[in-house]
PDB file of all heavy atoms in Angstrom:
ATOM      1  N   PRO A   1    -119.332  -9.198  54.411  1.00 98.00           N
ATOM      2  CA  PRO A   1    -117.900  -9.467  54.322  1.00 98.00           C
ATOM      3  C   PRO A   1    -117.208  -8.600  53.267  1.00 98.00           C
ATOM      4  O   PRO A   1    -117.724  -8.418  52.174  1.00 98.00           O
ATOM      5  CB  PRO A   1    -117.838 -10.938  53.931  1.00 98.00           C
ATOM      6  CG  PRO A   1    -119.132 -11.516  54.381  1.00 98.00           C
ATOM      7  CD  PRO A   1    -120.139 -10.404  54.213  1.00 98.00           C
ATOM      8  N   VAL A   2    -116.040  -8.087  53.638  1.00 98.00           N
ATOM      9  CA  VAL A   2    -115.224  -7.300  52.707  1.00 98.00           C
ATOM     10  C   VAL A   2    -114.289  -8.199  51.914  1.00 98.00           C
ATOM     11  O   VAL A   2    -113.744  -7.796  50.890  1.00 98.00           O
ATOM     12  CB  VAL A   2    -114.410  -6.207  53.434  1.00 98.00           C
ATOM     13  CG1 VAL A   2    -115.349  -5.191  54.076  1.00 98.00           C
ATOM     14  CG2 VAL A   2    -113.467  -6.810  54.457  1.00 98.00           C
ATOM     15  N   ALA A   3    -114.105  -9.426  52.408  1.00 98.00           N
ATOM     16  CA  ALA A   3    -113.215 -10.382  51.744  1.00 98.00           C
ATOM     17  C   ALA A   3    -113.618 -11.798  52.132  1.00 98.00           C
ATOM     18  O   ALA A   3    -114.319 -12.012  53.123  1.00 98.00           O
ATOM     19  CB  ALA A   3    -111.763 -10.132  52.146  1.00 98.00           C
ATOM     20  N   THR A   4    -113.154 -12.741  51.315  1.00 98.00           N
ATOM     21  CA  THR A   4    -113.353 -14.157  51.590  1.00 98.00           C
ATOM     22  C   THR A   4    -111.998 -14.839  51.550  1.00 98.00           C
ATOM     23  O   THR A   4    -111.194 -14.583  50.644  1.00 98.00           O
ATOM     24  CB  THR A   4    -114.283 -14.794  50.543  1.00 98.00           C
ATOM     25  OG1 THR A   4    -115.565 -14.149  50.619  1.00 98.00           O
ATOM     26  CG2 THR A   4    -114.461 -16.278  50.778  1.00 98.00           C
ATOM     27  N   LEU A   5    -111.758 -15.689  52.529  1.00 98.00           N
ATOM     28  CA  LEU A   5    -110.546 -16.496  52.573  1.00 98.00           C
ATOM     29  C   LEU A   5    -110.962 -17.951  52.439  1.00 98.00           C
ATOM     30  O   LEU A   5    -111.774 -18.443  53.219  1.00 98.00           O
ATOM     31  CB  LEU A   5    -109.797 -16.274  53.888  1.00 98.00           C
ATOM     32  CG  LEU A   5    -108.493 -17.039  54.051  1.00 98.00           C
ATOM     33  CD1 LEU A   5    -107.480 -16.595  53.004  1.00 98.00           C
ATOM     34  CD2 LEU A   5    -107.945 -16.860  55.453  1.00 98.00           C
ATOM     35  N   ALA A   6    -110.437 -18.626  51.429  1.00 98.00           N
ATOM     36  CA  ALA A   6    -110.806 -20.018  51.169  1.00 98.00           C
ATOM     37  C   ALA A   6    -109.599 -20.928  51.328  1.00 98.00           C
ATOM     38  O   ALA A   6    -108.488 -20.581  50.921  1.00 98.00           O
ATOM     39  CB  ALA A   6    -111.376 -20.159  49.763  1.00 98.00           C
ATOM     40  N   ALA A   7    -109.840 -22.092  51.936  1.00 98.00           N
ATOM     41  CA  ALA A   7    -108.803 -23.106  52.147  1.00 98.00           C
ATOM     42  C   ALA A   7    -109.487 -24.344  52.725  1.00 98.00           C
ATOM     43  O   ALA A   7    -110.655 -24.278  53.138  1.00 98.00           O
ATOM     44  CB  ALA A   7    -107.739 -22.599  53.106  1.00 98.00           C
ATOM     45  N   PRO A   8    -108.776 -25.474  52.788  1.00 97.00           N
ATOM     46  CA  PRO A   8    -109.345 -26.635  53.472  1.00 97.00           C
ATOM     47  C   PRO A   8    -109.644 -26.296  54.937  1.00 97.00           C
ATOM     48  O   PRO A   8    -108.953 -25.470  55.554  1.00 97.00           O
ATOM     49  CB  PRO A   8    -108.245 -27.695  53.359  1.00 97.00           C
ATOM     50  CG  PRO A   8    -107.464 -27.292  52.152  1.00 97.00           C
ATOM     51  CD  PRO A   8    -107.495 -25.790  52.151  1.00 97.00           C
ATOM     52  N   ALA A   9    -110.658 -26.928  55.505  1.00 97.00           N
ATOM     53  CA  ALA A   9    -111.077 -26.651  56.882  1.00 97.00           C
ATOM     54  C   ALA A   9    -109.925 -26.794  57.870  1.00 97.00           C
ATOM     55  O   ALA A   9    -109.768 -25.967  58.774  1.00 97.00           O
ATOM     56  CB  ALA A   9    -112.230 -27.574  57.267  1.00 97.00           C
ATOM     57  N   GLU A  10    -109.119 -27.812  57.719  1.00 96.00           N
ATOM     58  CA  GLU A  10    -107.991 -28.021  58.632  1.00 96.00           C
ATOM     59  C   GLU A  10    -107.045 -26.825  58.616  1.00 96.00           C
ATOM     60  O   GLU A  10    -106.608 -26.347  59.667  1.00 96.00           O
ATOM     61  CB  GLU A  10    -107.227 -29.284  58.255  1.00 96.00           C
ATOM     62  CG  GLU A  10    -106.010 -29.523  59.138  1.00 96.00           C
ATOM     63  CD  GLU A  10    -105.219 -30.760  58.735  1.00 96.00           C
ATOM     64  OE1 GLU A  10    -105.444 -31.315  57.643  1.00 96.00           O
ATOM     65  OE2 GLU A  10    -104.354 -31.157  59.528  1.00 96.00           O
ATOM     66  N   SER A  11    -106.750 -26.304  57.448  1.00 96.00           N
ATOM     67  CA  SER A  11    -105.851 -25.157  57.341  1.00 96.00           C
ATOM     68  C   SER A  11    -106.454 -23.908  57.969  1.00 96.00           C
ATOM     69  O   SER A  11    -105.757 -23.137  58.633  1.00 96.00           O
ATOM     70  CB  SER A  11    -105.508 -24.889  55.873  1.00 96.00           C
ATOM     71  OG  SER A  11    -104.827 -25.988  55.321  1.00 96.00           O
ATOM     72  N   LEU A  12    -107.755 -23.704  57.778  1.00 96.00           N
ATOM     73  CA  LEU A  12    -108.420 -22.554  58.389  1.00 96.00           C
ATOM     74  C   LEU A  12    -108.364 -22.640  59.914  1.00 96.00           C
ATOM     75  O   LEU A  12    -108.078 -21.652  60.589  1.00 96.00           O
ATOM     76  CB  LEU A  12    -109.870 -22.450  57.914  1.00 96.00           C
ATOM     77  CG  LEU A  12    -110.064 -22.096  56.439  1.00 96.00           C
ATOM     78  CD1 LEU A  12    -111.533 -22.250  56.055  1.00 96.00           C
ATOM     79  CD2 LEU A  12    -109.560 -20.692  56.132  1.00 96.00           C
ATOM     80  N   LEU A  13    -108.624 -23.820  60.458  1.00 95.00           N
ATOM     81  CA  LEU A  13    -108.554 -23.988  61.910  1.00 95.00           C
ATOM     82  C   LEU A  13    -107.142 -23.769  62.433  1.00 95.00           C
ATOM     83  O   LEU A  13    -106.943 -23.092  63.448  1.00 95.00           O
ATOM     84  CB  LEU A  13    -109.051 -25.380  62.311  1.00 95.00           C
ATOM     85  CG  LEU A  13    -110.548 -25.527  62.454  1.00 95.00           C
ATOM     86  CD1 LEU A  13    -110.928 -26.992  62.655  1.00 95.00           C
ATOM     87  CD2 LEU A  13    -111.069 -24.689  63.597  1.00 95.00           C
ATOM     88  N   LEU A  14    -106.160 -24.327  61.752  1.00 95.00           N
ATOM     89  CA  LEU A  14    -104.776 -24.132  62.179  1.00 95.00           C
ATOM     90  C   LEU A  14    -104.402 -22.654  62.143  1.00 95.00           C
ATOM     91  O   LEU A  14    -103.703 -22.155  63.033  1.00 95.00           O
ATOM     92  CB  LEU A  14    -103.823 -24.955  61.308  1.00 95.00           C
ATOM     93  CG  LEU A  14    -103.868 -26.462  61.526  1.00 95.00           C
ATOM     94  CD1 LEU A  14    -103.041 -27.183  60.463  1.00 95.00           C
ATOM     95  CD2 LEU A  14    -103.375 -26.820  62.929  1.00 95.00           C
ATOM     96  N   LEU A  15    -104.878 -21.940  61.150  1.00 95.00           N
ATOM     97  CA  LEU A  15    -104.623 -20.508  61.050  1.00 95.00           C
ATOM     98  C   LEU A  15    -105.230 -19.773  62.245  1.00 95.00           C
ATOM     99  O   LEU A  15    -104.559 -18.965  62.898  1.00 95.00           O
ATOM    100  CB  LEU A  15    -105.209 -19.957  59.744  1.00 95.00           C
ATOM    101  CG  LEU A  15    -105.164 -18.438  59.590  1.00 95.00           C
ATOM    102  CD1 LEU A  15    -103.735 -17.969  59.369  1.00 95.00           C
ATOM    103  CD2 LEU A  15    -106.056 -18.004  58.441  1.00 95.00           C
ATOM    104  N   LEU A  16    -106.488 -20.047  62.558  1.00 95.00           N
ATOM    105  CA  LEU A  16    -107.164 -19.359  63.649  1.00 95.00           C
ATOM    106  C   LEU A  16    -106.537 -19.665  65.009  1.00 95.00           C
ATOM    107  O   LEU A  16    -106.569 -18.837  65.910  1.00 95.00           O
ATOM    108  CB  LEU A  16    -108.652 -19.702  63.664  1.00 95.00           C
ATOM    109  CG  LEU A  16    -109.450 -19.203  62.462  1.00 95.00           C
ATOM    110  CD1 LEU A  16    -110.892 -19.675  62.558  1.00 95.00           C
ATOM    111  CD2 LEU A  16    -109.380 -17.687  62.340  1.00 95.00           C
ATOM    112  N   TRP A  17    -105.962 -20.846  65.158  1.00 94.00           N
ATOM    113  CA  TRP A  17    -105.301 -21.226  66.401  1.00 94.00           C
ATOM    114  C   TRP A  17    -103.836 -20.789  66.419  1.00 94.00           C
ATOM    115  O   TRP A  17    -103.108 -21.109  67.350  1.00 94.00           O
ATOM    116  CB  TRP A  17    -105.423 -22.726  66.638  1.00 94.00           C
ATOM    117  CG  TRP A  17    -106.764 -23.084  67.209  1.00 94.00           C
ATOM    118  CD1 TRP A  17    -107.906 -23.387  66.524  1.00 94.00           C
ATOM    119  CD2 TRP A  17    -107.106 -23.132  68.591  1.00 94.00           C
ATOM    120  NE1 TRP A  17    -108.935 -23.626  67.392  1.00 94.00           N
ATOM    121  CE2 TRP A  17    -108.474 -23.484  68.666  1.00 94.00           C
ATOM    122  CE3 TRP A  17    -106.397 -22.931  69.769  1.00 94.00           C
ATOM    123  CZ2 TRP A  17    -109.132 -23.615  69.887  1.00 94.00           C
ATOM    124  CZ3 TRP A  17    -107.061 -23.074  70.971  1.00 94.00           C
ATOM    125  CH2 TRP A  17    -108.415 -23.417  71.024  1.00 94.00           C
ATOM    126  N   GLY A  18    -103.398 -20.069  65.393  1.00 92.00           N
ATOM    127  CA  GLY A  18    -102.026 -19.564  65.362  1.00 92.00           C
ATOM    128  C   GLY A  18    -100.985 -20.618  65.088  1.00 92.00           C
ATOM    129  O   GLY A  18     -99.814 -20.455  65.419  1.00 92.00           O
ATOM    130  N   ARG A  19    -101.389 -21.704  64.436  1.00 93.00           N
ATOM    131  CA  ARG A  19    -100.474 -22.812  64.180  1.00 93.00           C
ATOM    132  C   ARG A  19    -100.119 -22.978  62.700  1.00 93.00           C
ATOM    133  O   ARG A  19     -99.472 -23.939  62.328  1.00 93.00           O
ATOM    134  CB  ARG A  19    -101.055 -24.097  64.744  1.00 93.00           C
ATOM    135  CG  ARG A  19    -101.027 -24.071  66.269  1.00 93.00           C
ATOM    136  CD  ARG A  19    -101.734 -25.247  66.876  1.00 93.00           C
ATOM    137  NE  ARG A  19    -101.538 -25.359  68.297  1.00 93.00           N
ATOM    138  CZ  ARG A  19    -102.058 -24.590  69.227  1.00 93.00           C
ATOM    139  NH1 ARG A  19    -102.800 -23.566  68.878  1.00 93.00           N
ATOM    140  NH2 ARG A  19    -101.859 -24.799  70.507  1.00 93.00           N
ATOM    141  N   MET A  20    -100.553 -22.019  61.886  1.00 93.00           N
ATOM    142  CA  MET A  20    -100.220 -22.032  60.464  1.00 93.00           C
ATOM    143  C   MET A  20    -100.151 -20.579  60.002  1.00 93.00           C
ATOM    144  O   MET A  20    -101.042 -19.799  60.310  1.00 93.00           O
ATOM    145  CB  MET A  20    -101.262 -22.799  59.654  1.00 93.00           C
ATOM    146  CG  MET A  20    -100.984 -22.838  58.169  1.00 93.00           C
ATOM    147  SD  MET A  20    -102.201 -23.865  57.321  1.00 93.00           S
ATOM    148  CE  MET A  20    -101.106 -24.953  56.448  1.00 93.00           C
ATOM    149  N   PRO A  21     -99.104 -20.231  59.265  1.00 93.00           N
ATOM    150  CA  PRO A  21     -99.012 -18.844  58.785  1.00 93.00           C
ATOM    151  C   PRO A  21     -99.997 -18.580  57.652  1.00 93.00           C
ATOM    152  O   PRO A  21    -100.315 -19.468  56.862  1.00 93.00           O
ATOM    153  CB  PRO A  21     -97.565 -18.734  58.296  1.00 93.00           C
ATOM    154  CG  PRO A  21     -97.185 -20.130  57.928  1.00 93.00           C
ATOM    155  CD  PRO A  21     -97.938 -21.027  58.891  1.00 93.00           C
ATOM    156  N   LEU A  22    -100.450 -17.353  57.589  1.00 93.00           N
ATOM    157  CA  LEU A  22    -101.390 -16.953  56.544  1.00 93.00           C
ATOM    158  C   LEU A  22    -100.762 -17.059  55.163  1.00 93.00           C
ATOM    159  O   LEU A  22    -101.455 -17.236  54.178  1.00 93.00           O
ATOM    160  CB  LEU A  22    -101.881 -15.533  56.807  1.00 93.00           C
ATOM    161  CG  LEU A  22    -103.002 -14.993  55.931  1.00 93.00           C
ATOM    162  CD1 LEU A  22    -104.195 -15.939  55.919  1.00 93.00           C
ATOM    163  CD2 LEU A  22    -103.422 -13.633  56.423  1.00 93.00           C
ATOM    164  N   ASP A  23     -99.474 -16.961  55.103  1.00 90.00           N
ATOM    165  CA  ASP A  23     -98.773 -17.071  53.824  1.00 90.00           C
ATOM    166  C   ASP A  23     -98.345 -18.508  53.552  1.00 90.00           C
ATOM    167  O   ASP A  23     -97.354 -18.742  52.868  1.00 90.00           O
ATOM    168  CB  ASP A  23     -97.568 -16.126  53.821  1.00 90.00           C
ATOM    169  CG  ASP A  23     -97.996 -14.679  53.932  1.00 90.00           C
ATOM    170  OD1 ASP A  23     -99.038 -14.326  53.356  1.00 90.00           O
ATOM    171  OD2 ASP A  23     -97.307 -13.910  54.618  1.00 90.00           O
ATOM    172  N   GLY A  24     -99.094 -19.472  54.088  1.00 72.00           N
ATOM    173  CA  GLY A  24     -98.764 -20.884  53.955  1.00 72.00           C
ATOM    174  C   GLY A  24     -98.991 -21.480  52.581  1.00 72.00           C
ATOM    175  O   GLY A  24     -98.720 -22.644  52.370  1.00 72.00           O
ATOM    176  N   GLY A  25     -99.511 -20.716  51.634  1.00 86.00           N
ATOM    177  CA  GLY A  25     -99.665 -21.206  50.270  1.00 86.00           C
ATOM    178  C   GLY A  25    -100.976 -21.901  49.951  1.00 86.00           C
ATOM    179  O   GLY A  25    -101.280 -22.135  48.804  1.00 86.00           O
ATOM    180  N   VAL A  26    -101.767 -22.250  50.957  1.00 95.00           N
ATOM    181  CA  VAL A  26    -103.029 -22.952  50.691  1.00 95.00           C
ATOM    182  C   VAL A  26    -104.222 -22.017  50.688  1.00 95.00           C
ATOM    183  O   VAL A  26    -105.325 -22.417  50.353  1.00 95.00           O
ATOM    184  CB  VAL A  26    -103.279 -24.092  51.706  1.00 95.00           C
ATOM    185  CG1 VAL A  26    -102.190 -25.135  51.634  1.00 95.00           C
ATOM    186  CG2 VAL A  26    -103.429 -23.549  53.102  1.00 95.00           C
ATOM    187  N   PHE A  27    -104.009 -20.755  51.070  1.00 97.00           N
ATOM    188  CA  PHE A  27    -105.100 -19.799  51.222  1.00 97.00           C
ATOM    189  C   PHE A  27    -105.316 -18.999  49.946  1.00 97.00           C
ATOM    190  O   PHE A  27    -104.370 -18.562  49.311  1.00 97.00           O
ATOM    191  CB  PHE A  27    -104.805 -18.851  52.389  1.00 97.00           C
ATOM    192  CG  PHE A  27    -104.636 -19.575  53.693  1.00 97.00           C
ATOM    193  CD1 PHE A  27    -103.383 -19.775  54.239  1.00 97.00           C
ATOM    194  CD2 PHE A  27    -105.739 -20.078  54.370  1.00 97.00           C
ATOM    195  CE1 PHE A  27    -103.228 -20.450  55.435  1.00 97.00           C
ATOM    196  CE2 PHE A  27    -105.598 -20.758  55.560  1.00 97.00           C
ATOM    197  CZ  PHE A  27    -104.340 -20.944  56.101  1.00 97.00           C
ATOM    198  N   VAL A  28    -106.599 -18.824  49.596  1.00 97.00           N
ATOM    199  CA  VAL A  28    -106.973 -18.064  48.403  1.00 97.00           C
ATOM    200  C   VAL A  28    -107.899 -16.932  48.833  1.00 97.00           C
ATOM    201  O   VAL A  28    -108.913 -17.171  49.486  1.00 97.00           O
ATOM    202  CB  VAL A  28    -107.685 -18.966  47.363  1.00 97.00           C
ATOM    203  CG1 VAL A  28    -108.142 -18.152  46.175  1.00 97.00           C
ATOM    204  CG2 VAL A  28    -106.780 -20.111  46.939  1.00 97.00           C
ATOM    205  N   TRP A  29    -107.536 -15.721  48.455  1.00 97.00           N
ATOM    206  CA  TRP A  29    -108.319 -14.531  48.798  1.00 97.00           C
ATOM    207  C   TRP A  29    -109.233 -14.113  47.665  1.00 97.00           C
ATOM    208  O   TRP A  29    -108.873 -14.231  46.505  1.00 97.00           O
ATOM    209  CB  TRP A  29    -107.390 -13.351  49.092  1.00 97.00           C
ATOM    210  CG  TRP A  29    -106.686 -13.442  50.399  1.00 97.00           C
ATOM    211  CD1 TRP A  29    -105.403 -13.867  50.611  1.00 97.00           C
ATOM    212  CD2 TRP A  29    -107.200 -13.090  51.672  1.00 97.00           C
ATOM    213  NE1 TRP A  29    -105.095 -13.802  51.937  1.00 97.00           N
ATOM    214  CE2 TRP A  29    -106.186 -13.322  52.620  1.00 97.00           C
ATOM    215  CE3 TRP A  29    -108.425 -12.603  52.109  1.00 97.00           C
ATOM    216  CZ2 TRP A  29    -106.367 -13.080  53.972  1.00 97.00           C
ATOM    217  CZ3 TRP A  29    -108.604 -12.365  53.467  1.00 97.00           C
ATOM    218  CH2 TRP A  29    -107.588 -12.602  54.380  1.00 97.00           C
ATOM    219  N   ASP A  30    -110.386 -13.574  48.037  1.00 98.00           N
ATOM    220  CA  ASP A  30    -111.280 -12.901  47.107  1.00 98.00           C
ATOM    221  C   ASP A  30    -111.759 -11.641  47.814  1.00 98.00           C
ATOM    222  O   ASP A  30    -112.158 -11.690  48.971  1.00 98.00           O
ATOM    223  CB  ASP A  30    -112.473 -13.800  46.752  1.00 98.00           C
ATOM    224  CG  ASP A  30    -113.381 -13.159  45.724  1.00 98.00           C
ATOM    225  OD1 ASP A  30    -112.878 -12.466  44.816  1.00 98.00           O
ATOM    226  OD2 ASP A  30    -114.608 -13.333  45.829  1.00 98.00           O
ATOM    227  N   GLY A  31    -111.693 -10.522  47.152  1.00 98.00           N
ATOM    228  CA  GLY A  31    -112.112  -9.264  47.775  1.00 98.00           C
ATOM    229  C   GLY A  31    -110.926  -8.498  48.326  1.00 98.00           C
ATOM    230  O   GLY A  31    -109.803  -8.616  47.829  1.00 98.00           O
ATOM    231  N   ALA A  32    -111.171  -7.731  49.372  1.00 97.00           N
ATOM    232  CA  ALA A  32    -110.177  -6.828  49.949  1.00 97.00           C
ATOM    233  C   ALA A  32    -109.224  -7.595  50.870  1.00 97.00           C
ATOM    234  O   ALA A  32    -109.424  -7.671  52.085  1.00 97.00           O
ATOM    235  CB  ALA A  32    -110.869  -5.710  50.698  1.00 97.00           C
ATOM    236  N   GLU A  33    -108.182  -8.151  50.278  1.00 96.00           N
ATOM    237  CA  GLU A  33    -107.234  -8.971  51.039  1.00 96.00           C
ATOM    238  C   GLU A  33    -106.605  -8.196  52.199  1.00 96.00           C
ATOM    239  O   GLU A  33    -106.479  -8.721  53.311  1.00 96.00           O
ATOM    240  CB  GLU A  33    -106.140  -9.509  50.130  1.00 96.00           C
ATOM    241  CG  GLU A  33    -105.113 -10.352  50.865  1.00 96.00           C
ATOM    242  CD  GLU A  33    -104.032 -10.924  49.979  1.00 96.00           C
ATOM    243  OE1 GLU A  33    -104.189 -10.925  48.740  1.00 96.00           O
ATOM    244  OE2 GLU A  33    -103.019 -11.381  50.540  1.00 96.00           O
ATOM    245  N   LYS A  34    -106.213  -6.972  51.959  1.00 96.00           N
ATOM    246  CA  LYS A  34    -105.564  -6.176  53.007  1.00 96.00           C
ATOM    247  C   LYS A  34    -106.494  -6.017  54.222  1.00 96.00           C
ATOM    248  O   LYS A  34    -106.072  -6.177  55.360  1.00 96.00           O
ATOM    249  CB  LYS A  34    -105.146  -4.816  52.458  1.00 96.00           C
ATOM    250  CG  LYS A  34    -104.312  -4.003  53.389  1.00 96.00           C
ATOM    251  CD  LYS A  34    -103.821  -2.736  52.699  1.00 96.00           C
ATOM    252  CE  LYS A  34    -102.971  -1.894  53.632  1.00 96.00           C
ATOM    253  NZ  LYS A  34    -102.501  -0.670  52.989  1.00 96.00           N
ATOM    254  N   ALA A  35    -107.756  -5.719  53.967  1.00 96.00           N
ATOM    255  CA  ALA A  35    -108.734  -5.588  55.055  1.00 96.00           C
ATOM    256  C   ALA A  35    -108.947  -6.937  55.742  1.00 96.00           C
ATOM    257  O   ALA A  35    -109.061  -7.004  56.968  1.00 96.00           O
ATOM    258  CB  ALA A  35    -110.056  -5.047  54.519  1.00 96.00           C
TER     259      ALA A  35
END
């Protein structure tokens, strides 16, 4: 992995299903965020 995205499981699922924006405030990046 070039980066890690951390958040509660519900938020990650909503993100993957296109039901929550990535800039929703609950997501924490480590590593190459742009990638």
Side-chain angles (χ1 to χ4, degrees):
V2 296
T4 298
L5 181 63
E10 178 182 13
S11 298
L12 292 171
L13 276 172
L14 289 171
L15 173 71
L16 294 177
W17 280 89
R19 290 173 171 72
M20 179 176 233
L22 188 53
D23 297 324
V26 299
F27 301 104
V28 176
W29 286 99
D30 183 36
E33 179 179 345
K34 188 174 180 180

